[in-house]
C-alpha cells in the first residue's frame, strides 16, 4: 500500500512557465510534508516543507499548497528555469519513529529554454 | 557546511560477498537512515537508527543489517550480496520529527 502518491512521473515545462507537482497521502497522522530536489549524481536536498496547520508556504519561486481535507499537497515552481530541471520528491512523516519519512516515487522535471 | 559523507560513490561487488556501506554525519543528529533508490520506485527505507546502538527495520530490511556504534556513524551491511541489491544507496540524518533530512551523495552499488 503506497502511502504517498506523486504525479506526474515526468513533466516538461517551458522556461518562465509554472511547474506543478502533486502528492496525495493516506495516513492522517502525517504532520510534516517536505519536498526534496535531486540533481543527477547527487543526493536529494531539502527544498521546502510545510506543516498541516498552514495552507500555503512560499520560499522564493517555490510554493507548497496544502489541502488537509483532501489529503493532498502540491509544489508550484513559478517562473521555471532550466536550472530547475531535476527530480523532485514529496515526502510525509509523523512525530514518531525518529520522524522517518515516506517518499513519493519522484517527478522528473525538464524546463526547456 | 554540515555534511553527510558516504565513503564510496561507486562499488562493484560479486554475488555472495559481504558488503559494508559507511555513512558519517557531522551535525550531531540523533537520527540516521538508509534508503535505496531505484528508478520508478522512489526512495524506500531499509533501516533507521534513533540513537547509538538502537535500530529499527524500515520497509525493506530483508538481506540487510546495520550498525551504529558511534553517534556520527551508521553502517549498512549486505550480508551476502545479490544481484537484486544493485541500486543507489542513500544515507540521511535528521534532527528529529518535523525536521528534514540531510542526504549524502549516495553510493551506487553494482552486484555482479
Amino acid at each position: 500500500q503506497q502511502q504517498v502518491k506523486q504525479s506526474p512521473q515526468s513533466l516538461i515545462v517551458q522556461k518562465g512557465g509554472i511547474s506543478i507537482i502533486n502528492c496525495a497521502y493516506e495516513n492522517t497522522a502525517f504532520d510534516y510534508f517536505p519536498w526534496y530536489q535531486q540533481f543527477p549524481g547527487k543526493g536529494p536536498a531539502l527544498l521546502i516543507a510545510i506543516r498541516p496547520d498552514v495552507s500555503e508556504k512560499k520560499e522564493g519561486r517555490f510554493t507548497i499548497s496544502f489541502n488537509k481535507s483532501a489529503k493532498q499537497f502540491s509544489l508550484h515552481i513559478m517562473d521555471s528555469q532550466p536550472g530547475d530541471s531535476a527530480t523532485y520528491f514529496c515526502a510525509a512523516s509523523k512525530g514518531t519513529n525518529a520522524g522517518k519519512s515516506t517518499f513519493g516515487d519522484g517527478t522528473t522535471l525538464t524546463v526547456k529554454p | 557546511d554540515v555534511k553527510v559523507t558516504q565513503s564510496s560513490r561507486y562499488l562493484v561487488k560479486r554475488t555472495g560477498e559481504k558488503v559494508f556501506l559507511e555513512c558519517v554525519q557531522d551535525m550531531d543528529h540523533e537520527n540516521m537512515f538508509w534508503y535505496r533508490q531505484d528508478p520508478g520506485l522512489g526512495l524506500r527505507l531499509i533501516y533507521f537508527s534513533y540513537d547509538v546502538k538502537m535500530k529499527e527495520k524500515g520497509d525493506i530490511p530483508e538481506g540487510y543489517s546495520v550498525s551504529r556504534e558511534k553517534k556520527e556513524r551508521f553502517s549498512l551491511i549486505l550480508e551476502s550480496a545479490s544481484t537484486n541489491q544493485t541500486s543507489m544507496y542513500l544515507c540521511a540524518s535528521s534532527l528529529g520529527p518535523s525536521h528534514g533530512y540531510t542526504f549524502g551523495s549516495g553510493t551506487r552499488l553494482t552486484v555482479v
Side-chain angles (χ1 to χ4, degrees):
Chain A
Q1 183 185 18
Q2 189 173 15
Q3 293 198 58
V4 179
K5 293 184 180 180
Q6 183 172 346
S7 62
Q9 189 173 18
S10 62
L11 181 62
I12 299 174
V13 173
Q14 290 294 127
K15 178 182 176 181
I18 302 173
S19 304
I20 302 174
I21 305 170
N22 301 297
C23 282
Y25 64 96
E26 298 171 3
N27 190 341
T28 56
F30 287 145
D31 60 6
Y32 180 71
F33 302 89
W35 285 89
Y36 293 86
Q37 179 188 55
Q38 184 180 30
F39 293 107
K42 302 285 188 182
L46 179 66
L47 187 61
I48 187 173
I50 198 167
R51 292 181 176 82
D53 52 341
V54 296
S55 59
E56 186 175 283
K57 183 173 181 181
K58 184 176 180 179
E59 290 184 2
R61 295 184 294 108
F62 300 91
T63 300
I64 300 179
S65 296
F66 186 82
N67 186 329
K68 189 173 181 179
S69 61
K71 294 188 287 185
Q72 295 176 347
F73 58 109
S74 59
L75 176 70
H76 296 236
I77 306 174
M78 312 301 287
D79 187 25
S80 299
Q81 299 296 313
D84 297 330
S85 297
T87 300
Y88 293 82
F89 293 95
C90 63
S93 66
K94 50 187 178 180
T96 57
N97 286 337
K100 64 173 184 173
S101 287
T102 299
F103 286 81
D105 288 346
T107 296
T108 301
L109 171 65
T110 302
V111 181
K112 292 200 166 183
Chain B
D1 196 16
V2 294
K3 245 184 220 181
V4 174
T5 303
Q6 294 185 232
S7 55
S8 304
R9 290 299 307 275
Y10 301 95
L11 275 179
V12 180
K13 296 293 182 181
R14 294 194 179 277
T15 302
E17 277 193 76
K18 191 168 186 177
V19 181
F20 294 85
L21 302 184
E22 306 289 344
C23 176
V24 177
Q25 51 100 359
D26 65 359
M27 295 164 284
D28 201 34
H29 285 171
E30 301 289 338
N31 308 296
M32 297 187 74
F33 307 84
W34 276 105
Y35 285 82
R36 66 177 281 177
Q37 181 177 13
D38 300 288
L41 296 178
L43 281 71
R44 293 179 291 166
L45 181 63
I46 303 171
Y47 267 97
F48 67 99
S49 168
Y50 51 90
D51 201 351
V52 175
K53 297 190 187 294
M54 307 304 289
K55 59 188 179 185
E56 285 200 23
K57 294 179 180 179
D59 299 318
I60 53 164
E62 296 78 19
Y64 303 94
S65 62
V66 290
S67 172
R68 194 166 181 201
E69 297 296 319
K70 293 184 178 181
K71 189 176 185 179
E72 67 270 18
R73 186 179 296 270
F74 191 35
S75 302
L76 179 69
I77 304 155
L78 286 66
E79 298 291 344
S80 177
S82 64
T83 55
N84 63 13
Q85 292 178 310
T86 291
S87 186
M88 169 69 83
Y89 289 88
L90 290 164
C91 175
S93 73
S94 169
L95 195 56
S98 296
H99 290 84
Y101 289 177
T102 300
F103 280 94
S105 294
T107 295
R108 185 166 293 282
L109 172 68
T110 302
V111 182
V112 297

